[in-house]
Amino acid sequence: MGNLYHNKIAQWVVYVAFFAALAIIPNMVGDSFLLNQFATYCVYGMLALSISLCWGFGGILNLGQGIAFGLGAYGMAMTMQMQSQTESNPIPPFMLNNSLDYLPLLWQPFQSTLLGLILAVTVPTLFCAAFGGIMFRARVSGPFFAIMTLAMLSAFYTIILDRQAYTGGVNGLTPPSAFQFAGVEVDPYSPTAYWVVLFFLTGATFLAKLITQSSFGLVTQAIRDDSERVRFLGYSVAGYETVIYTISGLIAAVAGCCWVMLVQYVSPAQMDVGFSLSIVIWAAIGGRHSLLGSILGALIIQGAQSYLGDTFLATWLLILGGFFIVVVRFLPNGLASLLEVALGLLARPDPTSSPAPDGGRPLPAE
Amino acid sequence: MSGLLEIQRLSKSFDTTKVINDFSMEVVEGTVCCLVGPNGAGKTTTMDLITGRIKPTSGKIIFANEDITAKHEHLIARAGIGRKFQVPAVLRDMSVRQNLEVAYSRQTNPFRNLLKFHKPGLTAKLDEVATLAGLTGRLKERAGILSHGETQWLEIGMVLMQEPRLLLMDEPIAGMTESEIEKTARIFKDLRKSATLLVVEHDMGFVREIADVVVVMHMGSLLAQGSIQEIEADLRVRDVYLGEQEVA
Ligand SMILES: Nc1ncnc2c1ncn2[C@@H]1O[C@H](COP(=O)(O)OP(=O)(O)O)[C@@H](O)[C@H]1O
Ligand SMILES: [Mg+2]
């Protein structure tokens, strides 16, 4: 009998149960502010998922996921901002304050909600495809790629901060009313908004799960193991890396749209280096080799931050940092590996046949 | 009969050292060609050049009438050249089955593989190769825990899964037992029916067993070429290479 943790059917059962449990939360939580907060955790879960796919499965450490998230968020905020503008008053107030008396070309497509949404998702996705394509083709990998993502993120941060008339600068964008779609207003504090976000989180997770179990997933796993060897089997390593990095960016862009729908706000803080690093930390603590583990990592840490952060205030970051170090030191594959080990012990009570203690490397058939 | 692989006046320098020096050879389709020579002669470097791992300083490599010189590794592999490395290179964190499965690379397009869960012909091929490689009972093991001989076999199996026209084998029997070597020789001779082999090997007994043609390299150049009898009778070869071999 194998380890239940690696059983594909068992994995799907757990995934379905997990999302079913999340789906009924609005029926149990009456407080709409709390529900809104839970929905934002789901957005963080989506971000952690995207990092798990890219880093855990693709082996590509991405410290700049805030690029796709931020671009998606800005696209959504621009769409929502334009929904509040009328024909007689087509220019957002912050532009007027910056003595811009016409609607810039950049903003014009966002007058259409549909076009705005399409751009909010495709622009970051295409950016990832282009940036990833160039980097991976040049065989930039490992820490060098991570540094490039960081540099790129800082560049975006600076541009957005600097172009105040177009982006709202440090204040960001605060669309005055809730997102409207097909004539319906999506109240960010309603169960509907929560379910919309959960729908995207669930969809993204199942898509990611399918990808990791497909032939594509097998090749990316092989690339993570030994990219040099995989080339000689006929696979374009750069092609696979670009595709998984882009899919990861697409998920982050959708997360960005969801986030703005929930909080009606975006600022350069969403493209801050610290935020992108925390996404990586969620995935690392939850277990980057497990999609669900990473999502849970985000939920647990952000949840703890909301409740304990107020209590501990200044020391919260210290607690989080310490926790991170403990996990990296003793559980290199995150909290998910605790479950893996536990189920492994169940499956093989005979200690002689247990896998060699090799630092908790992922076993085959993840 | 025509040359499936033709190496024409190949040279490669690392900085100032000339490692491959005006080297030419040909591998005829459906034969086993053994490339021999003392350590440091440039055999592995030649394989690196054929498979695109490094680019030649000058010269040409023609495979199946197509110029593959300095093409990307994956394109050369797709053209039909499979390689077993001198230092066995398997995917250590993956299972033996996954190693064989990923090597079954008929479909290499990332988009087409994205939501693909079934590869036609995989099961039959995997059974065949696993049996041949004697790994049927080890399919679920992590490749990293295999013994040296098994790792060699797994990598040979991976090359077979690729179904290449030309198989490059860099020291395939290193670390194998006598009986494993015999089995390898049998299989290589068998493979000749469907593929072409270029084998780098030190063990002259093994070479004698399998080679149709032997090419001797010395200091990056062609020293001699011919049947095993011709090579063993060649005085220059005895001088630089076989002399030390016979003693060993
Ligand atoms: N990347 C490299 N840089 C410098 N010298 C190299 C490099 N690779 C191989 N060489 C040299 O090229 C020569 C041939 O090496 P190699 O092809 O591995 O020999 P063989 O496989 O025939 O034993 C050796 O002298 C080796 O030191
Ligand atoms: Mg060698």
Side-chain angles (χ1 to χ4, degrees):
Chain A
M1 188 175 64
N3 186 341
L4 203 59
Y5 184 86
H6 298 125
N7 182 315
K8 284 186 184 170
I9 296 170
Q11 290 175 359
W12 280 99
V13 169
V14 170
Y15 276 56
V16 169
F18 174 73
F19 287 107
L22 285 187
I24 56 167
I25 281 185
N27 301 331
M28 301 190 300
V29 176
D31 184 344
S32 55
F33 284 92
L34 198 58
L35 193 60
N36 178 267
Q37 199 168 35
F38 283 170
T40 57
Y41 295 164
C42 288
V43 170
Y44 298 139
M46 230 184 294
L47 284 171
L49 169 80
S50 74
I51 286 295
S52 170
L53 188 63
C54 180
W55 182 34
F57 288 89
I60 303 163
L61 177 55
N62 177 1
L63 301 178
Q65 196 68 325
I67 299 172
F69 177 73
L71 289 179
Y74 268 92
M76 183 68 172
M78 287 159 84
T79 308
M80 284 166 66
Q81 180 72 48
M82 291 316 290
Q83 285 183 339
S84 319
Q85 306 305 134
T86 56
E87 225 160 277
S88 58
N89 176 25
I91 303 170
F94 80 90
M95 288 186 193
L96 298 170
N97 295 343
N98 283 289
S99 51
L100 198 69
D101 52 6
Y102 60 93
L103 191 67
L105 197 63
L106 175 70
W107 275 73
Q108 283 176 12
F110 293 89
Q111 288 172 311
S112 151
T113 296
L114 192 62
L115 195 55
L117 285 179
I118 291 173
L119 284 174
V121 175
T122 50
V123 168
T125 307
L126 290 178
F127 169 80
C128 288
F131 176 69
I134 293 168
M135 288 296 136
F136 298 129
R137 220 171 271 258
R139 301 200 180 168
V140 177
S141 62
F144 302 100
F145 181 77
I147 290 167
M148 289 308 295
T149 57
L150 212 51
M152 209 29 120
L153 179 66
S154 305
F156 272 105
Y157 179 88
T158 312
I159 291 171
I160 287 177
L161 204 61
D162 191 51
R163 300 279 135 197
Q164 192 166 336
Y166 298 88
T167 63
V170 70
N171 301 319
L173 303 172
T174 46
S177 50
F179 179 59
Q180 301 194 358
F181 191 72
V184 183
E185 191 183 81
V186 186
D187 175 3
Y189 296 94
S190 68
T192 311
Y194 174 86
W195 277 320
V196 167
V197 175
L198 184 62
F199 168 79
F200 283 112
L201 174 62
T202 311
T205 308
F206 283 179
L207 179 74
K209 190 72 188 156
L210 283 173
I211 288 173
T212 59
Q213 293 184 344
S214 70
S215 301
F216 179 95
L218 189 70
V219 178
T220 50
Q221 210 178 322
I223 291 172
R224 185 185 71 192
D225 198 336
D226 185 351
S227 59
E228 187 61 25
R229 183 70 184 89
V230 173
R231 294 183 215 284
F232 296 94
L233 300 176
Y235 299 103
S236 160
V237 170
Y240 278 79
E241 286 176 330
T242 307
V243 170
I244 199 154
Y245 174 68
T246 305
I247 293 174
S248 158
L250 168 67
I251 295 172
V254 171
C257 294
C258 290
W259 195 77
V260 173
M261 183 185 83
L262 292 171
V263 302
Q264 281 178 240
Y265 163 78
V266 67
S267 81
Q270 275 65 62
M271 290 182 137
D272 183 66
V273 168
F275 182 65
S276 287
L277 292 183
S278 40
I279 306 173
V280 172
I281 292 176
W282 301 334
I285 289 183
R288 66 184 193 277
H289 296 303
S290 162
L291 299 172
L292 198 55
S294 301
I295 296 172
L296 281 169
L299 302 188
I300 292 167
I301 293 166
Q302 283 309 102
Q305 176 158 345
S306 301
Y307 296 98
L308 303 179
D310 291 341
T311 321
F312 294 103
L313 281 175
T315 49
W316 166 248
L317 274 181
L318 273 177
I319 296 171
L320 183 62
F323 189 47
F324 181 61
I325 290 169
V326 168
V327 168
V328 168
R329 173 64 187 83
F330 296 104
L331 280 177
N333 289 314
L335 298 174
S337 57
L338 279 182
L339 184 66
E340 179 180 358
V341 170
L343 289 174
L345 289 178
L346 269 183
R348 312 188 191 197
D350 173 15
T352 51
S353 64
S354 68
D358 52 358
R361 297 289 251 154
L363 286 160
E366 161 69 30
Chain B
M1 294 219 289
S2 68
L4 178 64
L5 178 77
E6 287 171 38
I7 295 176
Q8 299 171 354
R9 313 205 60 176
L10 200 64
S11 292
K12 174 70 188 177
S13 306
F14 291 111
D15 300 321
T16 53
T17 33
K18 250 193 162 153
V19 173
I20 305 293
N21 191 2
D22 201 17
F23 176 66
S24 300
M25 71 172 283
E26 187 181 273
V27 183
V28 174
E29 181 137 35
T31 62
V32 176
C33 175
C34 282
L35 184 59
V36 302
N39 268 326
K43 306 178 296 291
T44 299
T45 308
T46 304
M47 293 213 161
D48 283 346
L49 288 164
I50 297 171
T51 53
R53 188 179 188 176
I54 53 176
K55 315 293 172 214
T57 313
S58 68
K60 255 191 188 177
I61 300 165
I62 314 284
F63 176 68
N65 299 318
E66 197 190 329
D67 189 348
I68 57 162
T69 321
K71 275 198 178 179
H72 282 302
E73 298 95 320
H74 64 278
L75 297 177
I76 294 174
R78 276 184 220 171
I81 299 182
R83 173 176 185 185
K84 196 207 87 63
F85 287 79
Q86 179 171 352
V87 179
V90 299
L91 304 159
R92 303 178 60 82
D93 286 341
M94 295 169 79
S95 70
V96 171
R97 172 188 292 280
Q98 286 176 319
N99 268 272
L100 294 174
E101 190 180 333
V102 82
Y104 186 73
S105 49
R106 282 189 192 174
Q107 180 55 268
T108 53
N109 184 311
F111 296 103
R112 298 208 176 172
N113 276 335
L114 210 46
L115 292 176
K116 192 183 180 87
F117 302 93
H118 173 75
K119 294 184 214 172
L122 171 69
T123 319
K125 186 79 192 171
L126 205 142
D127 281 349
E128 178 200 325
V129 170
T131 309
L132 202 69
L135 291 168
T136 314
R138 307 284 272 162
L139 289 175
K140 283 185 174 166
E141 298 297 338
R142 200 164 68 84
I145 68 154
L146 296 182
S147 71
H148 186 74
E150 285 173 320
T151 310
Q152 290 277 45
W153 267 109
L154 175 57
E155 206 187 2
I156 293 171
M158 288 168 75
V159 176
L160 296 179
M161 290 299 287
Q162 282 180 260
E163 305 179 316
R165 278 181 79 183
L166 175 67
L167 292 84
L168 307 183
M169 300 281 183
D170 203 345
E171 311 206 3
I173 61 166
M176 281 189 184
T177 62
E178 267 319 309
S179 62
E180 284 172 328
I181 293 175
E182 273 169 38
K183 185 175 147 197
T184 313
R186 267 202 315 278
I187 289 170
F188 279 15
K189 280 191 283 188
D190 232 27
L191 280 172
R192 179 164 33 188
K193 291 178 200 139
S194 55
T196 308
L197 278 87
L198 177 59
V199 183
V200 167
E201 199 39 74
H202 281 296
D203 184 325
M204 283 315 278
F206 183 72
V207 171
R208 217 172 282 131
E209 188 78 18
I210 62 165
D212 295 307
V213 181
V214 179
V215 173
V216 186
M217 252 186 131
H218 180 52
M219 293 173 67
S221 302
L222 180 76
L223 183 70
Q225 179 171 9
S227 68
I228 181 77
Q229 291 80 13
E230 287 165 353
I231 294 303
E232 285 182 319
D234 191 309
L235 286 176
R236 288 170 309 157
V237 177
R238 296 191 86 99
D239 226 28
V240 305
Y241 182 53
L242 290 179
E244 56 183 285
Q245 278 284 313
E246 299 300 74
V247 177

